[in-house]
Amino acid sequence: MREVTRRVWQAIGCLWRPSTYLRWVYLLLGAALVLAFILVDSALGAVVNGLGLPKVATGTIWVVLGLVPPIVLGLLPAVREVEGIAVESLLAVRFEERPLGPARTWAQRRRTTLWFCLHLLAGGVVGILSTIVFGLGAIWLAAPFRSPGARDVVPGWSYDIHGDWTDLWMPAAAIGGLAGLFLLSAAVGALLAYLAPRVLGPTAAERIELLEQQTATLAERNRLARELHDSVGHALSLVTIQAAAARRVLASDPEFAETALAAMETSARAALADLDHVLGLLRDDRRPGSRTTPQATLGGLDRLVDATRAGGITIEVERSGALEQLPAAVSREAYRIVQEGLTNAIRHAGRPAGELAVHLSICLDASGLRLAVTNPVSGKSDHSGGGRGLAGIRERVAVLRGTVDAGPVTWQDAPGWQLAVRLPVSVTKG
């Protein structure tokens, strides 16, 4: 008994929820569509009746007029999108695919047509009941205040108006009918809200495809984040060390300070260009006139080395092998690895720019591509910082199934640090 009472109070509580009336509005939209179809079918049916066709042919045409228009309209791709917006707004349903796009496959169109017909059927029933309840309810609410002796007729039943307290059951019945109508709308709306993701939403295969797309998007964003970290981080490291050098010699060597400021300007412009490129990709900018900057490869290694040397850093480059024959993907990742290795050397060597010498080795042979960045360190160096540089390098190398070795070494009879990377790659000679 307590459970029954609890459920009754829960049902009554639906009358105070905004979702109940939003669901009723959604069903009334279906009723309005049903009314539009009825008006069109009535006009066409009048023409058919005037043709004097046999009853069988006339009946067949009426069936076609009743079934074909909703089915044809439901097959339109845009119906899925429109229904999805209405369902999300009025039934508070959240789809995995947001926003719900137009039907792109015939399977989606068939399920959209099924949903559209369900909407029309449920909306038509609730619309008829709403017309009866509101039309009859207005009369019954005023029954106690009407003149005695009036007689009203409901299909199948006639009754007399007394104009006194004996007519109070009529307002009570009208209020009860309104409550019942909204409770029924809430129940039907809840059923439709349960069915909507299963009918309008993606199937299991479409969900897998959607997850694959989302995974690819996240992987691409992660790659772009690494690109931004490596390129902009390298440029800012150069700007920092060049600014420090210019500040120290500003009074004693203005010519060197001017050169350092020019190098800072070049590095900052390059960083801004990379930042604009990556942010444009993250925003998926497809505006007319937007341009996509090609990604850097080992073909641009000389520009990277020259930009680093402009900051007063000595770089010794040793390269061997036909690097131009590297696959584009490997060449891009190798460039970023070298760039991050140089950035780490600048940041963590613990030496001023004029005293920092870096050795860069790039070798391509039968064992694969080997990269090594070696630099001296001082007691102030800190290669164990919490940056994302080394972690980003490991992520890049893991994608290419290579190996990373980073740690202290002895270089030129002094403490040093080396980043060594090996990438397995096969080069086809042209």
Short mmCIF file of all heavy atoms in Angstrom, two decimals, residues 247-312:
data_model
loop_
_atom_site.label_atom_id
_atom_site.label_comp_id
_atom_site.label_asym_id
_atom_site.label_seq_id
_atom_site.Cartn_x
_atom_site.Cartn_y
_atom_site.Cartn_z
N ARG A 247 71.19 42.15 -22.77
CA ARG A 247 71.13 42.99 -21.57
C ARG A 247 72.52 43.14 -20.95
O ARG A 247 72.89 44.21 -20.46
CB ARG A 247 70.17 42.37 -20.58
CG ARG A 247 70.02 43.18 -19.28
CD ARG A 247 68.96 42.55 -18.37
NE ARG A 247 69.25 41.16 -18.08
CZ ARG A 247 70.07 40.75 -17.11
NH1 ARG A 247 70.70 41.64 -16.36
NH2 ARG A 247 70.26 39.47 -16.91
N ARG A 248 73.34 42.06 -21.00
CA ARG A 248 74.66 42.12 -20.36
C ARG A 248 75.63 43.04 -21.12
O ARG A 248 76.50 43.66 -20.52
CB ARG A 248 75.26 40.71 -20.27
CG ARG A 248 74.61 39.84 -19.20
CD ARG A 248 75.50 38.63 -18.88
NE ARG A 248 75.72 37.82 -20.08
CZ ARG A 248 74.96 36.80 -20.46
NH1 ARG A 248 73.91 36.48 -19.71
NH2 ARG A 248 75.24 36.12 -21.55
N VAL A 249 75.48 43.11 -22.45
CA VAL A 249 76.47 43.86 -23.24
C VAL A 249 75.86 45.11 -23.86
O VAL A 249 76.46 45.70 -24.77
CB VAL A 249 77.07 42.96 -24.34
CG1 VAL A 249 77.76 41.76 -23.74
CG2 VAL A 249 75.98 42.52 -25.34
N LEU A 250 74.66 45.51 -23.39
CA LEU A 250 73.98 46.63 -24.01
C LEU A 250 74.84 47.91 -23.97
O LEU A 250 74.91 48.65 -24.95
CB LEU A 250 72.64 46.88 -23.31
CG LEU A 250 71.78 48.01 -23.89
CD1 LEU A 250 71.43 47.72 -25.35
CD2 LEU A 250 70.51 48.20 -23.06
N ALA A 251 75.52 48.13 -22.87
CA ALA A 251 76.33 49.35 -22.73
C ALA A 251 77.71 49.20 -23.36
O ALA A 251 78.23 50.13 -23.98
CB ALA A 251 76.46 49.73 -21.26
N SER A 252 78.31 48.02 -23.24
CA SER A 252 79.69 47.83 -23.70
C SER A 252 79.79 47.45 -25.18
O SER A 252 80.78 47.78 -25.84
CB SER A 252 80.38 46.75 -22.86
OG SER A 252 79.66 45.52 -22.97
N ASP A 253 78.81 46.78 -25.71
CA ASP A 253 78.87 46.31 -27.10
C ASP A 253 77.50 46.50 -27.75
O ASP A 253 76.73 45.54 -27.94
CB ASP A 253 79.29 44.85 -27.14
CG ASP A 253 79.68 44.40 -28.55
OD1 ASP A 253 79.43 45.17 -29.51
OD2 ASP A 253 80.20 43.28 -28.70
N PRO A 254 77.12 47.72 -28.10
CA PRO A 254 75.80 47.98 -28.69
C PRO A 254 75.57 47.23 -30.00
O PRO A 254 74.45 46.83 -30.31
CB PRO A 254 75.80 49.49 -28.92
CG PRO A 254 76.87 50.03 -28.02
CD PRO A 254 77.91 48.97 -27.93
N GLU A 255 76.64 47.01 -30.77
CA GLU A 255 76.48 46.31 -32.05
C GLU A 255 76.02 44.87 -31.83
O GLU A 255 75.12 44.36 -32.51
CB GLU A 255 77.80 46.34 -32.82
CG GLU A 255 77.69 45.69 -34.20
CD GLU A 255 78.99 45.79 -34.98
OE1 GLU A 255 79.93 46.46 -34.47
OE2 GLU A 255 79.07 45.20 -36.08
N PHE A 256 76.63 44.18 -30.85
CA PHE A 256 76.22 42.81 -30.54
C PHE A 256 74.79 42.79 -29.99
O PHE A 256 74.00 41.90 -30.32
CB PHE A 256 77.18 42.18 -29.53
CG PHE A 256 76.77 40.78 -29.12
CD1 PHE A 256 77.11 39.69 -29.91
CD2 PHE A 256 76.04 40.58 -27.95
CE1 PHE A 256 76.73 38.42 -29.53
CE2 PHE A 256 75.65 39.30 -27.58
CZ PHE A 256 76.00 38.21 -28.37
N ALA A 257 74.47 43.79 -29.17
CA ALA A 257 73.11 43.86 -28.61
C ALA A 257 72.08 44.03 -29.72
O ALA A 257 71.01 43.42 -29.70
CB ALA A 257 73.01 45.00 -27.60
N GLU A 258 72.41 44.86 -30.74
CA GLU A 258 71.49 45.06 -31.85
C GLU A 258 71.30 43.76 -32.64
O GLU A 258 70.19 43.42 -33.06
CB GLU A 258 72.03 46.16 -32.76
CG GLU A 258 71.09 46.49 -33.92
CD GLU A 258 71.61 47.62 -34.78
OE1 GLU A 258 72.66 48.19 -34.42
OE2 GLU A 258 70.98 47.92 -35.81
N THR A 259 72.42 43.03 -32.82
CA THR A 259 72.32 41.73 -33.52
C THR A 259 71.44 40.76 -32.74
O THR A 259 70.63 40.03 -33.32
CB THR A 259 73.72 41.14 -33.71
OG1 THR A 259 74.54 42.06 -34.44
CG2 THR A 259 73.65 39.82 -34.45
N ALA A 260 71.61 40.75 -31.42
CA ALA A 260 70.80 39.86 -30.59
C ALA A 260 69.33 40.24 -30.65
O ALA A 260 68.44 39.37 -30.71
CB ALA A 260 71.30 39.88 -29.15
N LEU A 261 69.03 41.55 -30.66
CA LEU A 261 67.64 41.99 -30.75
C LEU A 261 67.03 41.60 -32.09
O LEU A 261 65.86 41.21 -32.16
CB LEU A 261 67.57 43.51 -30.55
CG LEU A 261 67.87 44.01 -29.13
CD1 LEU A 261 67.90 45.52 -29.09
CD2 LEU A 261 66.82 43.48 -28.14
N ALA A 262 67.81 41.70 -33.16
CA ALA A 262 67.31 41.29 -34.48
C ALA A 262 67.01 39.78 -34.49
O ALA A 262 66.00 39.34 -35.06
CB ALA A 262 68.32 41.64 -35.56
N ALA A 263 67.91 39.01 -33.86
CA ALA A 263 67.67 37.57 -33.78
C ALA A 263 66.43 37.27 -32.95
O ALA A 263 65.66 36.35 -33.27
CB ALA A 263 68.90 36.88 -33.19
N MET A 264 66.23 38.04 -31.88
CA MET A 264 65.01 37.86 -31.07
C MET A 264 63.77 38.13 -31.90
O MET A 264 62.77 37.40 -31.82
CB MET A 264 65.05 38.80 -29.86
CG MET A 264 66.08 38.43 -28.81
SD MET A 264 66.29 39.76 -27.58
CE MET A 264 64.61 39.96 -27.01
N GLU A 265 63.81 39.19 -32.71
CA GLU A 265 62.66 39.52 -33.55
C GLU A 265 62.37 38.39 -34.54
O GLU A 265 61.22 38.00 -34.73
CB GLU A 265 62.94 40.81 -34.32
CG GLU A 265 61.76 41.24 -35.21
CD GLU A 265 62.07 42.49 -36.00
OE1 GLU A 265 63.22 42.99 -35.89
OE2 GLU A 265 61.18 42.96 -36.72
N THR A 266 63.43 37.83 -35.15
CA THR A 266 63.24 36.73 -36.09
C THR A 266 62.64 35.51 -35.40
O THR A 266 61.71 34.86 -35.91
CB THR A 266 64.57 36.36 -36.74
OG1 THR A 266 65.11 37.51 -37.41
CG2 THR A 266 64.40 35.23 -37.73
N SER A 267 63.16 35.18 -34.22
CA SER A 267 62.66 34.02 -33.48
C SER A 267 61.20 34.22 -33.06
O SER A 267 60.38 33.30 -33.15
CB SER A 267 63.52 33.76 -32.24
OG SER A 267 64.86 33.49 -32.61
N ALA A 268 60.88 35.44 -32.61
CA ALA A 268 59.51 35.71 -32.18
C ALA A 268 58.54 35.63 -33.36
O ALA A 268 57.42 35.10 -33.22
CB ALA A 268 59.44 37.09 -31.52
N ARG A 269 58.95 36.15 -34.51
CA ARG A 269 58.08 36.07 -35.69
C ARG A 269 57.83 34.62 -36.09
O ARG A 269 56.72 34.23 -36.46
CB ARG A 269 58.69 36.84 -36.85
CG ARG A 269 58.68 38.35 -36.67
CD ARG A 269 59.24 39.05 -37.90
NE ARG A 269 59.30 40.49 -37.72
CZ ARG A 269 58.29 41.31 -37.92
NH1 ARG A 269 57.12 40.82 -38.31
NH2 ARG A 269 58.42 42.61 -37.72
N ALA A 270 58.88 33.82 -36.04
CA ALA A 270 58.71 32.40 -36.37
C ALA A 270 57.78 31.71 -35.38
O ALA A 270 56.94 30.89 -35.77
CB ALA A 270 60.08 31.71 -36.39
N ALA A 271 57.93 32.07 -34.09
CA ALA A 271 57.05 31.47 -33.09
C ALA A 271 55.60 31.87 -33.30
O ALA A 271 54.68 31.04 -33.18
CB ALA A 271 57.50 31.88 -31.68
N LEU A 272 55.37 33.15 -33.64
CA LEU A 272 54.01 33.61 -33.91
C LEU A 272 53.41 32.91 -35.12
O LEU A 272 52.22 32.58 -35.15
CB LEU A 272 53.99 35.12 -34.11
CG LEU A 272 54.17 35.97 -32.83
CD1 LEU A 272 54.25 37.44 -33.19
CD2 LEU A 272 53.00 35.72 -31.86
N ALA A 273 54.23 32.70 -36.15
CA ALA A 273 53.74 32.00 -37.35
C ALA A 273 53.34 30.57 -37.02
O ALA A 273 52.28 30.09 -37.44
CB ALA A 273 54.80 32.03 -38.44
N ASP A 274 54.18 29.87 -36.23
CA ASP A 274 53.83 28.51 -35.84
C ASP A 274 52.60 28.49 -34.96
O ASP A 274 51.74 27.60 -35.09
CB ASP A 274 55.01 27.87 -35.09
CG ASP A 274 56.14 27.50 -36.03
OD1 ASP A 274 55.88 27.39 -37.24
OD2 ASP A 274 57.27 27.32 -35.56
N LEU A 275 52.50 29.46 -34.05
CA LEU A 275 51.34 29.52 -33.17
C LEU A 275 50.06 29.74 -33.96
O LEU A 275 49.04 29.10 -33.72
CB LEU A 275 51.55 30.64 -32.14
CG LEU A 275 50.42 30.82 -31.10
CD1 LEU A 275 50.28 29.58 -30.25
CD2 LEU A 275 50.71 32.03 -30.23
N ASP A 276 50.11 30.66 -34.93
CA ASP A 276 48.93 30.94 -35.74
C ASP A 276 48.54 29.71 -36.56
O ASP A 276 47.35 29.40 -36.71
CB ASP A 276 49.22 32.12 -36.67
CG ASP A 276 48.02 32.48 -37.54
OD1 ASP A 276 47.00 32.94 -36.98
OD2 ASP A 276 48.10 32.28 -38.76
N HIS A 277 49.53 29.01 -37.08
CA HIS A 277 49.26 27.81 -37.87
C HIS A 277 48.57 26.74 -37.03
O HIS A 277 47.54 26.18 -37.42
CB HIS A 277 50.57 27.28 -38.44
CG HIS A 277 50.47 25.90 -39.01
ND1 HIS A 277 49.62 25.57 -40.04
CD2 HIS A 277 51.12 24.75 -38.67
CE1 HIS A 277 49.75 24.29 -40.33
NE2 HIS A 277 50.66 23.78 -39.51
N VAL A 278 49.12 26.46 -35.85
CA VAL A 278 48.57 25.39 -35.02
C VAL A 278 47.18 25.77 -34.49
O VAL A 278 46.26 24.95 -34.49
CB VAL A 278 49.53 25.08 -33.85
CG1 VAL A 278 48.89 24.09 -32.89
CG2 VAL A 278 50.83 24.50 -34.39
N LEU A 279 47.00 27.01 -34.05
CA LEU A 279 45.69 27.43 -33.57
C LEU A 279 44.66 27.39 -34.69
O LEU A 279 43.49 27.06 -34.46
CB LEU A 279 45.78 28.83 -32.97
CG LEU A 279 46.56 28.96 -31.66
CD1 LEU A 279 46.53 30.40 -31.17
CD2 LEU A 279 45.99 28.04 -30.59
N GLY A 280 45.08 27.73 -35.91
CA GLY A 280 44.15 27.63 -37.04
C GLY A 280 43.69 26.20 -37.27
O GLY A 280 42.52 25.94 -37.55
N LEU A 281 44.61 25.24 -37.11
CA LEU A 281 44.23 23.84 -37.26
C LEU A 281 43.32 23.39 -36.13
O LEU A 281 42.36 22.64 -36.33
CB LEU A 281 45.48 22.96 -37.30
CG LEU A 281 46.39 23.15 -38.53
CD1 LEU A 281 47.63 22.28 -38.41
CD2 LEU A 281 45.64 22.81 -39.81
N LEU A 282 43.61 23.83 -34.90
CA LEU A 282 42.78 23.44 -33.76
C LEU A 282 41.37 23.98 -33.89
O LEU A 282 40.40 23.36 -33.46
CB LEU A 282 43.41 23.93 -32.45
CG LEU A 282 44.67 23.20 -32.00
CD1 LEU A 282 45.26 23.86 -30.77
CD2 LEU A 282 44.37 21.73 -31.72
N ARG A 283 41.24 25.17 -34.48
CA ARG A 283 39.91 25.75 -34.68
C ARG A 283 39.24 25.23 -35.95
O ARG A 283 38.12 25.63 -36.26
CB ARG A 283 40.03 27.28 -34.77
CG ARG A 283 40.44 27.92 -33.45
CD ARG A 283 40.79 29.37 -33.67
NE ARG A 283 41.22 30.00 -32.43
CZ ARG A 283 41.82 31.18 -32.36
NH1 ARG A 283 42.06 31.85 -33.46
NH2 ARG A 283 42.18 31.68 -31.20
N ASP A 284 39.95 24.37 -36.69
CA ASP A 284 39.41 23.82 -37.93
C ASP A 284 38.98 24.95 -38.86
O ASP A 284 37.87 24.97 -39.37
CB ASP A 284 38.23 22.88 -37.65
CG ASP A 284 37.91 22.02 -38.87
OD1 ASP A 284 38.79 21.83 -39.72
OD2 ASP A 284 36.76 21.57 -38.96
N ASP A 285 39.88 25.91 -39.03
CA ASP A 285 39.57 27.10 -39.81
C ASP A 285 39.50 26.73 -41.28
O ASP A 285 40.48 26.31 -41.87
CB ASP A 285 40.66 28.16 -39.57
CG ASP A 285 40.26 29.50 -40.15
OD1 ASP A 285 39.10 29.66 -40.55
OD2 ASP A 285 41.12 30.38 -40.18
N ARG A 286 38.30 26.91 -41.88
CA ARG A 286 38.12 26.61 -43.30
C ARG A 286 37.62 27.84 -44.06
O ARG A 286 36.96 27.73 -45.06
CB ARG A 286 37.12 25.46 -43.47
CG ARG A 286 37.60 24.14 -42.90
CD ARG A 286 38.78 23.61 -43.70
NE ARG A 286 39.21 22.32 -43.22
CZ ARG A 286 40.13 22.13 -42.31
NH1 ARG A 286 40.72 23.18 -41.77
NH2 ARG A 286 40.48 20.92 -41.93
N ARG A 287 37.92 29.02 -43.53
CA ARG A 287 37.45 30.22 -44.19
C ARG A 287 38.18 30.42 -45.51
O ARG A 287 39.34 30.05 -45.65
CB ARG A 287 37.67 31.44 -43.29
CG ARG A 287 36.82 31.43 -42.04
CD ARG A 287 37.26 32.55 -41.13
NE ARG A 287 38.64 32.36 -40.71
CZ ARG A 287 39.31 33.23 -39.96
NH1 ARG A 287 38.73 34.35 -39.60
NH2 ARG A 287 40.55 33.00 -39.60
N PRO A 288 37.49 31.05 -46.49
CA PRO A 288 38.16 31.31 -47.76
C PRO A 288 39.41 32.16 -47.54
O PRO A 288 39.41 33.12 -46.78
CB PRO A 288 37.10 32.08 -48.56
CG PRO A 288 35.80 31.68 -47.95
CD PRO A 288 36.09 31.47 -46.49
N GLY A 289 40.48 31.77 -48.19
CA GLY A 289 41.72 32.52 -48.06
C GLY A 289 42.63 32.03 -46.96
O GLY A 289 43.77 32.47 -46.85
N SER A 290 42.15 31.13 -46.10
CA SER A 290 43.02 30.60 -45.04
C SER A 290 44.06 29.68 -45.66
O SER A 290 43.78 28.91 -46.57
CB SER A 290 42.18 29.85 -44.00
OG SER A 290 41.54 28.75 -44.60
N ARG A 291 45.26 29.75 -45.14
CA ARG A 291 46.34 28.96 -45.69
C ARG A 291 46.88 28.02 -44.64
O ARG A 291 46.90 28.32 -43.46
CB ARG A 291 47.46 29.87 -46.20
CG ARG A 291 47.05 30.76 -47.37
CD ARG A 291 48.17 31.67 -47.78
NE ARG A 291 48.52 32.60 -46.70
CZ ARG A 291 49.54 33.45 -46.76
NH1 ARG A 291 50.29 33.49 -47.84
NH2 ARG A 291 49.79 34.25 -45.75
N THR A 292 47.36 26.86 -45.10
CA THR A 292 47.95 25.87 -44.21
C THR A 292 49.44 25.82 -44.47
O THR A 292 49.87 25.54 -45.60
CB THR A 292 47.33 24.49 -44.45
OG1 THR A 292 45.94 24.58 -44.22
CG2 THR A 292 47.94 23.47 -43.51
N THR A 293 50.23 26.09 -43.44
CA THR A 293 51.68 26.07 -43.58
C THR A 293 52.17 24.63 -43.59
O THR A 293 51.79 23.85 -42.72
CB THR A 293 52.32 26.83 -42.40
OG1 THR A 293 51.77 28.14 -42.35
CG2 THR A 293 53.83 26.91 -42.59
N PRO A 294 53.02 24.24 -44.56
CA PRO A 294 53.54 22.86 -44.56
C PRO A 294 54.39 22.61 -43.32
O PRO A 294 55.08 23.50 -42.82
CB PRO A 294 54.36 22.81 -45.86
CG PRO A 294 54.62 24.22 -46.24
CD PRO A 294 53.49 25.03 -45.69
N GLN A 295 54.36 21.38 -42.85
CA GLN A 295 55.11 21.03 -41.65
C GLN A 295 56.60 20.93 -41.96
O GLN A 295 57.00 20.50 -43.05
CB GLN A 295 54.60 19.71 -41.09
CG GLN A 295 53.14 19.77 -40.66
CD GLN A 295 52.70 18.46 -40.04
OE1 GLN A 295 53.42 17.88 -39.23
NE2 GLN A 295 51.53 18.00 -40.41
N ALA A 296 57.41 21.31 -40.99
CA ALA A 296 58.87 21.31 -41.17
C ALA A 296 59.38 19.88 -41.19
O ALA A 296 58.87 18.99 -40.51
CB ALA A 296 59.53 22.10 -40.05
N THR A 297 60.42 19.64 -41.99
CA THR A 297 61.09 18.35 -42.06
C THR A 297 62.59 18.58 -41.91
O THR A 297 63.06 19.71 -41.72
CB THR A 297 60.80 17.66 -43.42
OG1 THR A 297 61.36 18.46 -44.47
CG2 THR A 297 59.29 17.53 -43.66
N LEU A 298 63.36 17.50 -42.01
CA LEU A 298 64.82 17.64 -41.90
C LEU A 298 65.40 18.46 -43.04
O LEU A 298 66.55 18.89 -42.97
CB LEU A 298 65.47 16.24 -41.88
CG LEU A 298 65.33 15.47 -40.56
CD1 LEU A 298 66.00 14.11 -40.69
CD2 LEU A 298 65.92 16.24 -39.39
N GLY A 299 64.60 18.69 -44.09
CA GLY A 299 65.05 19.58 -45.15
C GLY A 299 65.25 21.00 -44.65
O GLY A 299 65.99 21.79 -45.25
N GLY A 300 64.57 21.38 -43.56
CA GLY A 300 64.73 22.70 -42.98
C GLY A 300 65.68 22.73 -41.80
O GLY A 300 65.64 23.68 -40.99
N LEU A 301 66.53 21.70 -41.69
CA LEU A 301 67.46 21.63 -40.55
C LEU A 301 68.44 22.79 -40.54
O LEU A 301 68.77 23.32 -39.47
CB LEU A 301 68.20 20.29 -40.60
CG LEU A 301 69.17 20.03 -39.44
CD1 LEU A 301 68.44 19.97 -38.11
CD2 LEU A 301 69.95 18.74 -39.68
N ASP A 302 68.91 23.19 -41.70
CA ASP A 302 69.89 24.29 -41.76
C ASP A 302 69.29 25.58 -41.20
O ASP A 302 69.97 26.33 -40.48
CB ASP A 302 70.36 24.50 -43.19
CG ASP A 302 71.22 23.34 -43.70
OD1 ASP A 302 71.78 22.62 -42.84
OD2 ASP A 302 71.30 23.15 -44.92
N ARG A 303 68.03 25.85 -41.52
CA ARG A 303 67.39 27.07 -40.98
C ARG A 303 67.28 26.99 -39.46
O ARG A 303 67.48 27.99 -38.76
CB ARG A 303 66.00 27.24 -41.60
CG ARG A 303 66.03 27.61 -43.07
CD ARG A 303 64.66 28.05 -43.57
NE ARG A 303 63.67 26.98 -43.41
CZ ARG A 303 63.45 26.05 -44.33
NH1 ARG A 303 64.15 26.04 -45.46
NH2 ARG A 303 62.53 25.12 -44.13
N LEU A 304 66.96 25.81 -38.95
CA LEU A 304 66.87 25.64 -37.50
C LEU A 304 68.23 25.87 -36.84
O LEU A 304 68.33 26.56 -35.81
CB LEU A 304 66.35 24.23 -37.18
CG LEU A 304 66.30 23.84 -35.71
CD1 LEU A 304 65.32 24.72 -34.95
CD2 LEU A 304 65.93 22.37 -35.55
N VAL A 305 69.28 25.32 -37.43
CA VAL A 305 70.62 25.47 -36.86
C VAL A 305 71.07 26.93 -36.93
O VAL A 305 71.63 27.48 -35.96
CB VAL A 305 71.61 24.56 -37.61
CG1 VAL A 305 73.05 24.86 -37.18
CG2 VAL A 305 71.29 23.09 -37.34
N ASP A 306 70.79 27.58 -38.06
CA ASP A 306 71.18 28.99 -38.19
C ASP A 306 70.44 29.87 -37.17
O ASP A 306 71.03 30.79 -36.59
CB ASP A 306 70.88 29.48 -39.60
CG ASP A 306 71.78 28.83 -40.66
OD1 ASP A 306 72.83 28.30 -40.26
OD2 ASP A 306 71.41 28.84 -41.84
N ALA A 307 69.16 29.60 -36.96
CA ALA A 307 68.40 30.38 -35.99
C ALA A 307 68.94 30.17 -34.58
O ALA A 307 68.99 31.11 -33.77
CB ALA A 307 66.93 29.99 -36.05
N THR A 308 69.40 28.96 -34.29
CA THR A 308 69.95 28.68 -32.96
C THR A 308 71.32 29.34 -32.81
O THR A 308 71.65 29.89 -31.75
CB THR A 308 70.06 27.16 -32.75
OG1 THR A 308 68.78 26.56 -32.98
CG2 THR A 308 70.48 26.85 -31.32
N ARG A 309 72.11 29.30 -33.86
CA ARG A 309 73.43 29.94 -33.80
C ARG A 309 73.31 31.44 -33.65
O ARG A 309 74.19 32.09 -33.07
CB ARG A 309 74.23 29.60 -35.07
CG ARG A 309 74.78 28.17 -35.09
CD ARG A 309 75.37 27.83 -36.43
NE ARG A 309 76.00 26.51 -36.42
CZ ARG A 309 76.37 25.85 -37.50
NH1 ARG A 309 76.16 26.40 -38.72
NH2 ARG A 309 76.93 24.66 -37.41
N ALA A 310 72.23 32.02 -34.17
CA ALA A 310 72.05 33.46 -34.06
C ALA A 310 71.94 33.91 -32.61
O ALA A 310 72.16 35.09 -32.30
CB ALA A 310 70.80 33.90 -34.83
N GLY A 311 71.62 32.99 -31.73
CA GLY A 311 71.55 33.31 -30.30
C GLY A 311 72.88 33.22 -29.60
O GLY A 311 72.94 33.29 -28.37
N GLY A 312 73.98 33.03 -30.37
CA GLY A 312 75.31 32.95 -29.77
C GLY A 312 75.71 31.56 -29.36
O GLY A 312 76.71 31.38 -28.67
#
